[in-house]
Amino acid sequence: MSVDYMNLQGEKCPCGKEHSLTIDKVIIGKGAINEIPKILNEYKCTKPFILSDIYTEEAAGKSVKELLNLKKFSHNSYKFSKQALKPDEESVGSAVMHFDNSCDIIIAAGSGVINDIGKILSTLTNKKYIIVATAPSMDGYASLGSSMEMDGVKTSLNSRCPDVIIGDTDILKNAPLKMLKSGLGDMLAKLISIGEWRISSLISGEYYCENVAKLMRNAVKRCTDNAEGLLKRDEKAVEAVFEGLVIAGAAMAYAGISRPASGVEHYFSHIWDMRGLEFGTKVDFHGIQCAIGTLYASKLYDELRAFKPNKEQAKEQALRFMENFSLEDYHTELKEFIGEPALTMIELEKKEKKYDKAKHRERLDIILNNWDEIIKIIEEEIPSSEYIEKLLILIDAPKTVEDIGLKKDILPMTFKATKDIRDKYVLSRLCFDLGIIDKMCNILKE
């Protein structure tokens, strides 16, 4: 099945943008890998360079090579030998140094890390790029960036999208079960991100596109409708998750920002990743962590639903909280909690100035004057924690930080730190502006 995600391209959207996507083809379905020779002929490419690691070589790399040999295509390849491949400077350097300049197209067999490295290699060599997905585990297949570790800090580097994305369900359904759960977990996160995008647009005037949001909502619904079949490796369920993850990448490309696919729930995961790099604490799959972050975020949104502020009292409380807030003390706490990466976040604040008292007062007035509309958005977009928890139970996925080997006492500071990762208005910023962030942190302790 060749999938068309170009439906938002062409005519100018009511949001004011003219949406575009650089992906030529997305092919999902049984035996999709067999389309590779045809694609190579269409691109007039004769010698692919194949990128894989020790796991993805077995999952798909060998099949790609056998197919190329059968169709008389010469090729060269590089297989990473590390047991735990990291998306860092060393890995990118290895890929670049082993690249054969006589090759005219790159084919990567893999998922998150391999795809991120493949996109960067494609950017650096200016060669077309095909990704043969080995797991429906994350939403980076179609994104314009590569999630990397640079100088020990998680960052997103600009890189080109794949020209072709291939999701062969014969391969995808045999991925480790935890990776299937991770993919659905990453999709559940979109239930938070779309709501936060709308809230941010209301409070900060951030750009928002309803057509992109609708594309994402529909993709999530297909995933949740078929969630029950995931543990059985049902092809329809696996296909729905993979398609949704690709749509998430396309949605980010259409919008030109990550808003359609990530919000505060992703930042929970990012903070845990940073602590893992800095202190060696346990780290799990991105989608698994995002699913846990989604459940925690939904619990906090449950609390906001019940929050009925008296405008004058709420304003007085929030201004008093801001007056007593010590940015210096908080930055000290942040450095103790995540180590070296905190310095990058502190530098970012010098540009953002989100703790500026005058800016805070402006946002606070907008929030309190539009509180009914904010609650309406939450009701329309963000499911209850009970709903999220039932979905995680349905697929036997972790629900708490303890389930992935972390301590519960990190949750309050994790939530506080989420507001400092990017210049993005998320739940933790809303709670801070209202002066109720400490109260929300107490909810996470329960």
Side-chain angles (χ1 to χ4, degrees), residues 150-230:
M150 189 166 66
D151 296 327
V153 179
K154 291 283 287 187
T155 188
S156 182
L157 299 181
N158 289 331
S159 59
R160 65 195 303 273
C161 279
D163 296 281
V164 178
I165 298 173
I166 295 177
D168 190 322
T169 51
D170 286 332
I171 295 170
L172 295 173
K173 70 180 182 181
N174 290 315
L177 201 54
K178 193 173 183 180
M179 297 186 85
L180 302 184
K181 297 177 186 179
S182 177
L184 182 57
D186 206 342
M187 288 303 296
L188 293 181
K190 289 32 170 175
L191 296 169
I192 303 292
S193 63
I194 294 298
E196 289 192 334
W197 193 15
R198 286 181 62 187
I199 291 170
S200 176
S201 181
L202 179 65
I203 295 172
S204 68
E206 181 182 352
Y207 158 78
Y208 171 78
C209 177
E210 176 57 26
N211 282 338
V212 172
K214 185 177 179 180
L215 189 70
M216 199 70 264
R217 289 188 202 104
N218 290 339
V220 176
K221 187 175 187 307
R222 283 195 292 275
C223 290
T224 55
D225 285 350
N226 290 282
E228 191 172 359
L230 203 62

Coordinates of all heavy atoms in Angstrom, one line a residue, residues 150-230:
M150 N 24.7 15.5 22.0 CA 25.8 16.3 21.6 C 26.4 16.9 22.8 O 25.8 17.6 23.6 CB 25.5 17.3 20.6 CG 26.6 18.1 20.0 SD 26.2 19.0 18.5 CE 25.1 20.2 19.2
D151 N 27.7 16.6 23.1 CA 28.4 17.0 24.3 C 27.6 16.6 25.5 O 27.5 17.3 26.5 CB 28.5 18.6 24.3 CG 29.5 19.1 23.2 OD1 30.4 18.3 22.8 OD2 29.2 20.2 22.7
G152 N 27.0 15.4 25.4 CA 26.2 14.8 26.6 C 24.9 15.4 26.8 O 24.2 15.1 27.8
V153 N 24.4 16.3 25.9 CA 23.1 16.9 26.0 C 22.2 16.5 24.9 O 22.6 16.4 23.7 CB 23.2 18.5 26.0 CG1 21.8 19.1 26.2 CG2 24.1 18.9 27.1
K154 N 20.9 16.1 25.2 CA 20.0 15.8 24.2 C 19.6 17.0 23.4 O 19.3 18.0 24.0 CB 18.7 15.2 24.9 CG 18.8 13.9 25.5 CD 18.9 12.7 24.5 CE 17.5 12.5 23.9 NZ 17.5 11.2 23.1
T155 N 19.7 16.9 22.1 CA 19.4 18.0 21.2 C 18.8 17.5 19.9 O 18.9 16.3 19.6 CB 20.7 18.8 20.9 OG1 20.3 20.0 20.3 CG2 21.7 18.0 20.1
S156 N 18.2 18.4 19.2 CA 17.6 18.1 17.9 C 18.4 18.8 16.8 O 18.5 20.0 16.8 CB 16.2 18.4 17.8 OG 15.6 18.1 16.5
L157 N 19.0 18.0 15.9 CA 19.8 18.6 14.8 C 19.0 18.6 13.5 O 18.3 17.7 13.2 CB 21.1 17.9 14.6 CG 22.1 17.8 15.8 CD1 23.3 17.0 15.4 CD2 22.5 19.2 16.2
N158 N 19.1 19.7 12.8 CA 18.4 19.8 11.5 C 19.0 18.7 10.5 O 20.2 18.6 10.4 CB 18.6 21.2 10.9 CG 17.8 22.2 11.6 OD1 16.8 21.9 12.2 ND2 18.3 23.5 11.6
S159 N 18.1 18.0 9.9 CA 18.5 17.0 8.9 C 17.3 16.8 8.0 O 16.2 17.1 8.3 CB 18.9 15.7 9.6 OG 17.8 15.1 10.3
R160 N 17.6 16.2 6.8 CA 16.5 16.1 5.8 C 15.7 14.9 6.1 O 16.1 13.9 6.8 CB 17.1 15.9 4.4 CG 18.0 14.7 4.2 CD 18.8 14.8 2.9 NE 18.1 15.1 1.7 CZ 17.5 14.1 1.0 NH1 17.6 12.9 1.3 NH2 16.8 14.4 -0.1
C161 N 14.4 14.9 5.7 CA 13.5 13.8 5.8 C 14.0 12.7 4.9 O 14.7 12.9 3.9 CB 12.1 14.2 5.4 SG 11.2 15.0 6.6
P162 N 13.6 11.4 5.2 CA 13.8 10.4 4.2 C 13.0 10.7 2.9 O 12.0 11.3 2.9 CB 13.3 9.1 4.8 CG 13.3 9.4 6.3 CD 13.0 10.9 6.4
D163 N 13.6 10.3 1.8 CA 12.8 10.4 0.5 C 11.7 9.4 0.4 O 10.7 9.6 -0.1 CB 13.8 10.3 -0.7 CG 14.8 11.4 -0.7 OD1 14.5 12.5 -1.1 OD2 15.9 11.2 -0.3
V164 N 12.0 8.2 1.0 CA 11.1 7.1 1.0 C 11.1 6.4 2.4 O 12.1 6.1 2.9 CB 11.4 6.0 -0.1 CG1 10.4 4.9 0.0 CG2 11.4 6.7 -1.5
I165 N 9.9 6.2 2.9 CA 9.7 5.4 4.2 C 9.0 4.1 3.8 O 7.9 4.1 3.2 CB 8.9 6.2 5.2 CG1 9.6 7.5 5.5 CG2 8.7 5.4 6.5 CD1 8.8 8.5 6.4
I166 N 9.6 3.0 4.2 CA 9.1 1.7 4.0 C 8.8 1.0 5.3 O 9.6 0.8 6.1 CB 10.0 0.8 3.1 CG1 10.2 1.4 1.7 CG2 9.5 -0.6 3.0 CD1 11.2 0.7 0.8
G167 N 7.5 0.7 5.5 CA 7.1 -0.1 6.7 C 6.5 -1.4 6.3 O 5.3 -1.5 6.0
D168 N 7.3 -2.4 6.2 CA 6.9 -3.8 5.8 C 6.3 -4.4 7.1 O 7.0 -4.7 8.0 CB 8.0 -4.5 5.3 CG 7.6 -5.9 4.6 OD1 6.7 -6.5 5.2 OD2 8.2 -6.2 3.6
T169 N 5.0 -4.7 7.1 CA 4.4 -5.2 8.3 C 4.9 -6.6 8.6 O 4.8 -7.0 9.8 CB 2.8 -5.3 8.1 OG1 2.5 -5.9 6.9 CG2 2.3 -3.9 8.2
D170 N 5.5 -7.4 7.7 CA 6.1 -8.6 8.0 C 7.3 -8.5 8.9 O 7.6 -9.3 9.7 CB 6.5 -9.4 6.7 CG 5.3 -9.9 5.9 OD1 4.3 -10.3 6.6 OD2 5.4 -10.0 4.7
I171 N 7.9 -7.3 8.7 CA 9.1 -7.0 9.6 C 8.6 -6.3 10.9 O 9.1 -6.7 12.0 CB 10.1 -6.0 8.8 CG1 10.7 -6.7 7.6 CG2 11.2 -5.5 9.7 CD1 11.5 -5.8 6.7
L172 N 7.8 -5.3 10.7 CA 7.4 -4.5 11.9 C 6.7 -5.3 13.0 O 6.9 -5.1 14.2 CB 6.4 -3.4 11.4 CG 7.0 -2.3 10.5 CD1 5.9 -1.4 10.0 CD2 8.1 -1.5 11.2
K173 N 5.8 -6.3 12.6 CA 5.1 -7.1 13.6 C 6.0 -8.0 14.4 O 5.6 -8.4 15.5 CB 4.0 -7.9 12.9 CG 4.5 -9.0 12.1 CD 3.3 -9.8 11.5 CE 3.7 -11.0 10.7 NZ 2.6 -11.7 10.0
N174 N 7.2 -8.2 13.9 CA 8.1 -9.1 14.6 C 9.1 -8.3 15.5 O 10.1 -8.9 16.0 CB 8.9 -10.0 13.6 CG 8.0 -11.0 13.0 OD1 7.2 -11.7 13.7 ND2 8.0 -11.2 11.7
A175 N 9.0 -7.0 15.6 CA 9.8 -6.2 16.4 C 9.6 -6.6 17.9 O 8.5 -7.2 18.2 CB 9.5 -4.7 16.3
P176 N 10.6 -6.4 18.8 CA 10.4 -6.7 20.2 C 9.1 -6.1 20.7 O 8.8 -4.9 20.3 CB 11.6 -6.1 20.9 CG 12.7 -6.2 19.8 CD 11.9 -5.9 18.5
L177 N 8.3 -6.8 21.5 CA 7.0 -6.4 21.9 C 7.1 -5.0 22.6 O 6.2 -4.2 22.5 CB 6.4 -7.4 22.8 CG 4.9 -7.4 23.0 CD1 4.2 -7.4 21.7 CD2 4.4 -8.5 23.9
K178 N 8.2 -4.8 23.3 CA 8.3 -3.5 24.0 C 8.4 -2.4 23.1 O 8.0 -1.3 23.4 CB 9.6 -3.6 24.9 CG 9.7 -2.5 25.9 CD 10.8 -2.7 26.9 CE 10.8 -1.6 27.9 NZ 12.0 -1.8 28.9
M179 N 9.0 -2.6 21.9 CA 9.0 -1.5 20.9 C 7.7 -1.2 20.3 O 7.4 -0.1 19.9 CB 10.1 -1.9 19.8 CG 11.5 -2.1 20.3 SD 12.7 -2.3 19.0 CE 13.1 -0.6 18.5
L180 N 6.8 -2.3 20.2 CA 5.5 -2.0 19.7 C 4.7 -1.2 20.8 O 4.0 -0.2 20.4 CB 4.7 -3.3 19.5 CG 5.3 -4.4 18.5 CD1 4.4 -5.6 18.4 CD2 5.6 -3.7 17.2
K181 N 4.9 -1.5 22.0 CA 4.3 -0.7 23.1 C 4.8 0.7 23.1 O 4.1 1.7 23.3 CB 4.6 -1.3 24.5 CG 4.0 -2.7 24.6 CD 4.4 -3.3 26.0 CE 3.9 -4.8 26.1 NZ 4.3 -5.3 27.4
S182 N 6.1 0.9 22.8 CA 6.7 2.2 22.8 C 6.1 3.1 21.7 O 5.9 4.2 21.9 CB 8.2 2.0 22.5 OG 8.9 3.3 22.4
G183 N 5.8 2.4 20.5 CA 5.2 3.2 19.5 C 3.8 3.7 19.8 O 3.5 4.9 19.6
L184 N 3.0 2.9 20.4 CA 1.7 3.3 20.9 C 1.8 4.4 22.0 O 1.1 5.3 22.0 CB 0.9 2.1 21.3 CG -0.6 2.5 21.7 CD1 -1.3 3.2 20.6 CD2 -1.3 1.3 22.2
G185 N 2.8 4.2 22.8 CA 3.0 5.2 23.9 C 3.4 6.5 23.3 O 2.9 7.6 23.8
D186 N 4.2 6.6 22.3 CA 4.5 7.8 21.6 C 3.3 8.5 21.0 O 3.1 9.7 21.0 CB 5.6 7.6 20.6 CG 6.4 8.9 20.3 OD1 6.0 10.0 20.7 OD2 7.5 8.8 19.8
M187 N 2.4 7.6 20.5 CA 1.2 8.2 19.9 C 0.2 8.7 20.9 O -0.5 9.7 20.7 CB 0.5 7.1 19.0 CG 1.2 6.7 17.7 SD 1.4 8.2 16.6 CE -0.3 8.6 16.3
L188 N 0.1 8.1 22.1 CA -0.7 8.5 23.2 C -0.3 9.9 23.6 O -1.2 10.8 24.0 CB -0.7 7.6 24.4 CG -1.3 6.2 24.2 CD1 -1.2 5.4 25.5 CD2 -2.8 6.3 23.7
A189 N 1.0 10.2 23.5 CA 1.5 11.6 23.9 C 0.8 12.7 23.1 O 0.7 13.8 23.6 CB 3.0 11.6 23.7
K190 N 0.4 12.4 21.9 CA -0.2 13.4 21.0 C -1.6 13.9 21.6 O -2.0 15.0 21.3 CB -0.5 12.9 19.6 CG 0.7 12.6 18.7 CD 2.0 12.2 19.4 CE 3.1 11.8 18.4 NZ 4.3 11.5 19.1
L191 N -2.2 13.1 22.5 CA -3.4 13.5 23.2 C -3.1 14.7 24.1 O -4.0 15.6 24.3 CB -4.0 12.4 24.0 CG -4.4 11.1 23.2 CD1 -4.7 10.0 24.1 CD2 -5.6 11.5 22.3
I192 N -1.9 14.8 24.6 CA -1.5 16.0 25.4 C -1.1 17.1 24.5 O -1.5 18.3 24.7 CB -0.4 15.6 26.4 CG1 -0.8 14.5 27.3 CG2 0.0 16.8 27.2 CD1 -1.9 14.8 28.3
S193 N -0.2 16.8 23.5 CA 0.4 17.8 22.7 C -0.5 18.7 22.0 O -0.3 19.9 21.9 CB 1.5 17.2 21.8 OG 0.8 16.4 20.8
I194 N -1.6 18.1 21.4 CA -2.5 18.9 20.6 C -3.3 19.9 21.5 O -3.4 21.1 21.2 CB -3.6 18.1 19.9 CG1 -2.9 17.2 18.8 CG2 -4.7 18.9 19.2 CD1 -2.2 18.0 17.7
G195 N -3.7 19.4 22.7 CA -4.3 20.3 23.7 C -3.4 21.5 24.1 O -3.8 22.6 24.2
E196 N -2.2 21.1 24.4 CA -1.2 22.2 24.8 C -0.9 23.2 23.7 O -0.7 24.4 24.0 CB 0.1 21.5 25.3 CG -0.1 20.8 26.7 CD 1.2 20.4 27.3 OE1 2.2 20.2 26.6 OE2 1.1 20.3 28.6
W197 N -0.9 22.7 22.5 CA -0.7 23.6 21.3 C -1.8 24.6 21.3 O -1.6 25.8 21.1 CB -0.7 22.8 20.1 CG -0.2 23.5 18.8 CD1 0.5 24.6 18.8 CD2 -0.3 23.0 17.5 NE1 0.8 25.0 17.5 CE2 0.4 24.0 16.7 CE3 -0.9 21.9 16.9 CZ2 0.4 23.9 15.3 CZ3 -0.8 21.8 15.5 CH2 -0.1 22.8 14.7
R198 N -3.1 24.2 21.4 CA -4.2 25.1 21.4 C -4.1 26.1 22.6 O -4.4 27.3 22.4 CB -5.5 24.3 21.5 CG -5.9 23.7 20.2 CD -7.2 22.9 20.3 NE -8.3 23.8 20.6 CZ -9.6 23.4 20.9 NH1 -9.8 22.1 21.0 NH2 -10.5 24.3 21.1
I199 N -3.8 25.6 23.8 CA -3.7 26.4 25.0 C -2.6 27.5 24.8 O -2.8 28.7 25.1 CB -3.4 25.6 26.2 CG1 -4.7 24.8 26.6 CG2 -3.0 26.5 27.4 CD1 -4.4 23.7 27.6
S200 N -1.5 27.1 24.2 CA -0.4 28.0 24.0 C -0.7 29.1 23.0 O -0.4 30.2 23.1 CB 0.9 27.2 23.5 OG 1.9 28.1 23.2
S201 N -1.5 28.7 22.0 CA -1.9 29.6 21.0 C -2.8 30.7 21.6 O -2.7 31.9 21.3 CB -2.7 28.9 19.8 OG -3.1 29.8 18.9
L202 N -3.6 30.3 22.5 CA -4.5 31.2 23.2 C -3.8 32.1 24.2 O -4.0 33.3 24.2 CB -5.6 30.4 24.1 CG -6.6 31.2 24.9 CD1 -7.5 32.0 24.0 CD2 -7.4 30.2 25.8
I203 N -2.8 31.6 24.9 CA -2.1 32.4 25.9 C -0.9 33.2 25.3 O -0.8 34.4 25.6 CB -1.5 31.5 27.0 CG1 -2.7 30.8 27.8 CG2 -0.6 32.3 28.0 CD1 -2.3 29.8 28.8
S204 N -0.1 32.6 24.4 CA 1.1 33.3 23.9 C 1.0 33.7 22.5 O 1.9 34.4 22.0 CB 2.3 32.3 24.1 OG 2.2 31.2 23.2
G205 N -0.2 33.4 21.8 CA -0.3 33.8 20.4 C 0.5 32.9 19.5 O 0.6 33.3 18.3
E206 N 0.9 31.8 19.9 CA 1.7 30.9 19.1 C 0.9 30.4 17.9 O -0.3 30.2 18.0 CB 2.1 29.6 19.9 CG 3.0 28.7 19.1 CD 3.4 27.4 19.9 OE1 3.1 27.4 21.1 OE2 3.9 26.5 19.3
Y207 N 1.5 30.2 16.8 CA 0.9 29.7 15.5 C 0.2 28.4 15.8 O 0.7 27.5 16.5 CB 1.9 29.5 14.4 CG 1.5 28.6 13.4 CD1 0.7 28.9 12.4 CD2 2.0 27.2 13.4 CE1 0.3 28.0 11.4 CE2 1.7 26.3 12.4 CZ 0.8 26.7 11.4 OH 0.4 25.8 10.4
Y208 N -1.0 28.2 15.2 CA -1.7 26.9 15.4 C -2.5 26.6 14.1 O -3.0 27.5 13.4 CB -2.7 27.1 16.5 CG -3.7 25.9 16.6 CD1 -3.3 24.7 17.2 CD2 -5.0 26.0 16.1 CE1 -4.2 23.6 17.3 CE2 -5.9 24.9 16.2 CZ -5.5 23.7 16.8 OH -6.3 22.7 16.9
C209 N -2.5 25.4 13.7 CA -3.2 24.9 12.5 C -4.2 23.8 12.9 O -3.8 22.7 13.3 CB -2.3 24.5 11.4 SG -3.1 23.9 9.9
E210 N -5.5 24.1 12.7 CA -6.5 23.1 13.0 C -6.4 21.9 12.0 O -6.7 20.8 12.4 CB -7.9 23.7 12.9 CG -9.0 22.8 13.1 CD -9.0 22.0 14.4 OE1 -8.4 22.5 15.4 OE2 -9.6 20.9 14.5
N211 N -6.1 22.1 10.8 CA -6.0 21.0 9.8 C -4.9 20.0 10.2 O -5.0 18.8 10.1 CB -5.7 21.5 8.4 CG -7.0 22.1 7.8 OD1 -8.1 21.7 8.2 ND2 -6.8 23.0 6.8
V212 N -3.7 20.5 10.7 CA -2.7 19.7 11.1 C -3.1 18.9 12.4 O -2.8 17.7 12.5 CB -1.4 20.5 11.4 CG1 -0.3 19.6 12.0 CG2 -0.8 21.0 10.1
A213 N -3.7 19.6 13.3 CA -4.2 19.0 14.5 C -5.2 17.9 14.2 O -5.2 16.8 14.8 CB -4.9 20.1 15.4
K214 N -6.1 18.1 13.3 CA -7.1 17.1 12.9 C -6.4 15.9 12.3 O -6.8 14.8 12.6 CB -8.1 17.7 11.9 CG -9.2 16.8 11.5 CD -10.2 17.5 10.5 CE -11.3 16.5 10.1 NZ -12.2 17.2 9.2
L215 N -5.4 16.1 11.5 CA -4.6 15.0 10.9 C -4.1 14.1 12.0 O -4.1 12.9 12.0 CB -3.5 15.5 10.1 CG -2.7 14.6 9.2 CD1 -3.5 14.1 8.0 CD2 -1.4 15.3 8.7
M216 N -3.6 14.8 13.1 CA -3.0 14.1 14.2 C -4.0 13.3 15.1 O -3.8 12.2 15.5 CB -2.2 15.1 15.1 CG -1.1 14.5 16.0 SD 0.3 13.8 15.1 CE -0.1 12.1 15.0
R217 N -5.1 14.0 15.3 CA -6.2 13.4 16.1 C -6.7 12.1 15.4 O -6.9 11.1 16.1 CB -7.4 14.3 16.2 CG -7.2 15.5 17.1 CD -8.5 16.3 17.4 NE -8.2 17.7 17.8 CZ -8.3 18.7 17.0 NH1 -8.7 18.6 15.7 NH2 -8.0 19.9 17.4
N218 N -6.9 12.2 14.1 CA -7.4 11.0 13.4 C -6.4 9.8 13.5 O -6.8 8.7 13.6 CB -7.7 11.4 11.9 CG -8.9 12.3 11.8 OD1 -9.7 12.4 12.7 ND2 -9.0 13.0 10.7
A219 N -5.1 10.2 13.4 CA -4.1 9.1 13.5 C -4.1 8.5 14.8 O -4.0 7.2 15.0 CB -2.7 9.7 13.2
V220 N -4.2 9.2 15.9 CA -4.3 8.7 17.3 C -5.5 7.8 17.4 O -5.4 6.7 18.0 CB -4.3 9.8 18.3 CG1 -4.4 9.2 19.7 CG2 -3.0 10.7 18.2
K221 N -6.6 8.2 16.9 CA -7.8 7.4 17.0 C -7.7 6.0 16.4 O -8.1 5.0 16.9 CB -9.0 8.2 16.4 CG -10.4 7.4 16.7 CD -11.6 8.2 16.2 CE -12.9 7.6 16.7 NZ -13.0 6.2 16.3
R222 N -7.1 6.0 15.2 CA -6.8 4.7 14.6 C -6.0 3.8 15.4 O -6.2 2.6 15.5 CB -6.2 4.9 13.2 CG -7.2 5.4 12.1 CD -6.6 5.2 10.7 NE -5.5 6.1 10.5 CZ -5.6 7.4 10.1 NH1 -6.8 7.9 9.8 NH2 -4.5 8.1 9.8
C223 N -5.0 4.4 16.1 CA -4.1 3.6 17.0 C -4.9 3.1 18.2 O -4.8 1.9 18.5 CB -3.0 4.5 17.5 SG -1.8 4.9 16.2
T224 N -5.6 4.0 18.9 CA -6.3 3.5 20.1 C -7.5 2.6 19.7 O -7.8 1.6 20.5 CB -6.9 4.7 20.8 OG1 -7.7 5.5 20.0 CG2 -5.8 5.6 21.4
D225 N -8.1 2.7 18.6 CA -9.2 1.8 18.1 C -8.6 0.4 17.9 O -9.4 -0.6 18.1 CB -9.8 2.3 16.8 CG -10.8 3.5 17.0 OD1 -11.1 3.8 18.2 OD2 -11.2 4.1 16.0
N226 N -7.4 0.3 17.6 CA -6.8 -1.0 17.3 C -5.8 -1.5 18.3 O -5.1 -2.5 18.1 CB -6.1 -1.0 15.9 CG -7.0 -0.9 14.8 OD1 -7.6 -1.8 14.4 ND2 -7.2 0.3 14.2
A227 N -5.7 -0.8 19.5 CA -4.7 -1.1 20.5 C -4.8 -2.5 21.0 O -3.8 -3.1 21.3 CB -4.9 -0.1 21.7
E228 N -6.0 -3.0 21.1 CA -6.1 -4.4 21.7 C -5.4 -5.4 20.9 O -4.9 -6.4 21.5 CB -7.6 -4.7 21.8 CG -7.9 -6.0 22.6 CD -9.4 -6.2 22.8 OE1 -10.2 -5.4 22.3 OE2 -9.8 -7.2 23.5
G229 N -5.2 -5.2 19.6 CA -4.5 -6.2 18.8 C -3.0 -6.1 18.9 O -2.3 -7.0 18.3
L230 N -2.5 -5.1 19.6 CA -1.0 -4.9 19.5 C -0.3 -6.1 20.2 O 0.8 -6.6 19.6 CB -0.7 -3.6 20.2 CG 0.7 -3.0 19.8 CD1 0.7 -2.6 18.3 CD2 0.9 -1.7 20.7

